[in-house]
Each structure stands twice: as C-alpha cells, then as structure tokens.
Amino acid sequence: MPSNSAIDHGRAFDWGRASSDYAKYRDIYPDEFFERIVGEGLCVAGQDVLDLGTGTGVLPRHMAKYGARFTGADVAENQIAEARRMSAELGLNIDYVVSPTETLGLPDASFDVVTACQCFFYFDLKTAVPNIHRMLKNGGSLLILYMNWLPDESEIAKKTEELVLKYNPLWSGAGWKRKPSYTPPALLEYFEPVSAGSFDIDVPFTRESWHGRIRACRGVGASSLPPDVIADFEREHLAYLETVPPSFTIIHDVNMLHVRKKPL
C-alpha cells in the first residue's frame, strides 16, 4: 500500500481496496466535463491518448466515442481489472497497463495526448514529468484534471467530511476550496502552458450513490482503517443521510490545466 507524508499525514492507502465501489459509484463526470476536453482539441479522432491514474477507466470509456485510441495505466491491479471488465462489457477496444506513472515503460513519442484526472498530485514529479515528456510525441499535450466537491457550499458534503474526519482524522482530502489553476514548477522545464481554467458543475446523487461515492474515497474505502472503524463510519453516515432528501446535487469545482511538450 503506498504512503506519502504529504497525503493523509502518511497513512497508507490502496485504491485496489475500493475497486468494486469505485467502479459502481465514481463514474460521476457529467457530459460537460468530457465536452470541455474535446473543446481543447484533445482526445478526438486520430489521436493516441494515454490516461494516467486511469482507475476503472472512467475517462477512456466515456471518451472513446470521440474517436481517439486510448491506453489506460494505473498502479492498482484491482482497478485495472475493473477497467478491463467494464470496457469489455461495452465492446470497447482500450488497452490497459498496470504500472506506476514514474516507471511506465511505453515507447518513446507514442502518444499525442496524456491525461491525468484526479491523480497528478500522487505522482513523484521528478521522475513522472520527464517520463510523460518522453512518451509524448513532439508538440503533444498533457491535460491535468480535477473535480472536487465544495464543502463550504454544500451542507451535505460538509457534514460528510466531518464524519470522515471523525473516524479518519489523518485524511487530508477535506476542505477543498476554489483555487486558480496551478502549474507545478516541475512541469515548466518540460512543458509550456496552453490554457488553464475552472468551472462549476452540479453533480446529482441519491443517498445510496453519495454514500457509495464516499465509501470509494481515499479517506474511507481506500484507506488502511480497520474494517470495524469503516463499518462504524458507514452506520453513522447512513443514519445522517436519512435526514436529507432522497436525491440532491453537490456542487463541484472542475479545474483543467493544458500544457504542451517542449522540445529539449
């Protein structure tokens, strides 16, 4: 199980522990999210795309209809198993690889686009950035994406975060606020900025799907918390959700950073 002192104060986590819930409940990106990517001229017909931290293959599965050829990579074997299963059920021809980004050994200059959705901050940028640069074709694009709920603007999200922190006080994923797109300095040696921006999306949930979404987060299902602690959280969270409407929306902040490969 990986750990990083900058994430959850060093508590180990493993997305493979949450793969079944992840496959069922984290496919929540609305059409506008994918259309914004296409609006950047990315992940479209004629392009070879590598999706890093692909998880259960959400981005490749949804964007295959735009005509690009996709490869997905993820460090968690269980995540890739779900990605392969779900893609096969849809009849999609998507390649998947189990590998950390830092040591991913796909051929030089083999992709027009690399995407990293909800995962870039997990990477060791000193090794990941030059490896991404190596795998991109000349003039190729890297697109970094995040979509996070805003607890200050949703009572349900705020209360849920409080409960997660009650049972996992080391979780560092709480308290997201809108912020301008940020270009990590490690990118600037290898990439030049193209565009950056953010926008809001209201994501619909039911009590069940929100609970599942939280169960599949790093603070709960993917964490190294003991099973009895997770069960206690679930009981209290489900009891709280009985006090809210059966369906609701949670406002999310979407952040996109598009950079282009520099010649070295």
Side-chain angles (χ1 to χ4, degrees):
M1 297 174 66
S3 63
N4 182 323
S5 60
I7 300 171
D8 299 346
H9 303 277
R11 183 189 288 280
F13 60 93
D14 179 0
W15 288 113
R17 296 181 62 173
S19 291
S20 58
D21 280 333
Y22 202 110
K24 186 174 182 181
Y25 295 113
R26 289 202 60 167
D27 192 346
I28 61 172
Y29 300 92
D31 288 344
E32 181 184 356
F33 180 86
F34 304 110
E35 289 164 2
R36 294 270 188 153
I37 296 172
V38 172
E40 288 287 315
L42 305 178
C43 303
V44 295
Q47 293 179 342
D48 292 295
V49 182
L50 170 62
D51 184 44
L52 299 172
T54 197
T56 60
V58 174
L59 192 143
R61 283 188 282 108
H62 279 275
M63 299 210 71
K65 66 184 179 183
Y66 296 104
R69 296 173 293 273
F70 274 93
T71 299
D74 199 280
V75 68
E77 186 174 353
N78 289 353
Q79 295 281 74
I80 292 297
E82 289 289 345
R84 287 173 174 154
R85 176 186 65 81
M86 298 175 79
S87 296
E89 288 175 355
L90 294 171
L92 298 175
N93 184 24
I94 298 171
D95 293 328
Y96 289 104
V97 180
V98 179
S99 174
T101 292
E102 293 82 354
T103 57
L104 184 58
L106 297 174
D108 292 0
S110 51
F111 296 99
D112 301 284
V113 180
V114 171
T115 54
C117 183
Q118 214 75 4
C119 60
F120 198 74
F121 72 101
Y122 290 116
F123 302 156
D124 178 351
L125 299 188
K126 290 181 181 178
T127 51
V129 170
N131 199 30
I132 294 168
H133 184 274
R134 177 190 65 79
M135 292 184 287
L136 274 169
K137 298 176 184 178
N138 289 337
S141 291
L142 167 63
L143 184 66
I144 301 169
L145 305 137
Y146 290 99
M147 188 173 86
N148 298 290
W149 65 72
L150 295 166
D152 291 342
E153 300 179 42
S154 167
E155 184 64 26
I156 293 173
K158 181 178 180 181
K159 179 62 175 177
T160 293
E161 285 193 348
E162 289 172 356
L163 289 175
V164 175
L165 289 168
K166 174 180 176 179
Y167 291 95
N168 185 0
L170 296 180
W171 180 53
S172 58
W176 183 266
K177 299 180 185 298
R178 286 189 186 83
K179 55 189 72 175
S181 295
Y182 169 69
T183 303
L187 277 176
L188 295 177
E189 180 181 353
Y190 294 89
F191 293 90
E192 59 185 9
V194 176
S195 65
S198 61
F199 56 96
D200 290 349
I201 288 181
D202 285 321
V203 181
F205 290 96
T206 64
R207 292 168 180 165
E208 177 195 355
S209 65
W210 177 246
H211 181 68
R213 166 66 183 89
I214 298 304
R215 198 166 57 200
C217 84
R218 196 183 69 240
V220 182
S223 74
S224 53
L225 291 173
D228 60 321
V229 175
I230 294 176
D232 288 343
F233 161 78
E234 287 202 59
R235 278 191 291 271
E236 188 166 357
H237 191 233
L238 287 169
Y240 163 66
L241 290 178
E242 287 297 317
T243 71
V244 308
S247 60
F248 47 87
T249 61
I250 302 286
I251 190 169
H252 284 62
D253 169 50
V254 179
N255 201 290
M256 294 187 171
L257 173 65
H258 178 189
V259 296
R260 182 173 291 124
K261 176 177 176 173
K262 285 182 178 179
L264 296 181

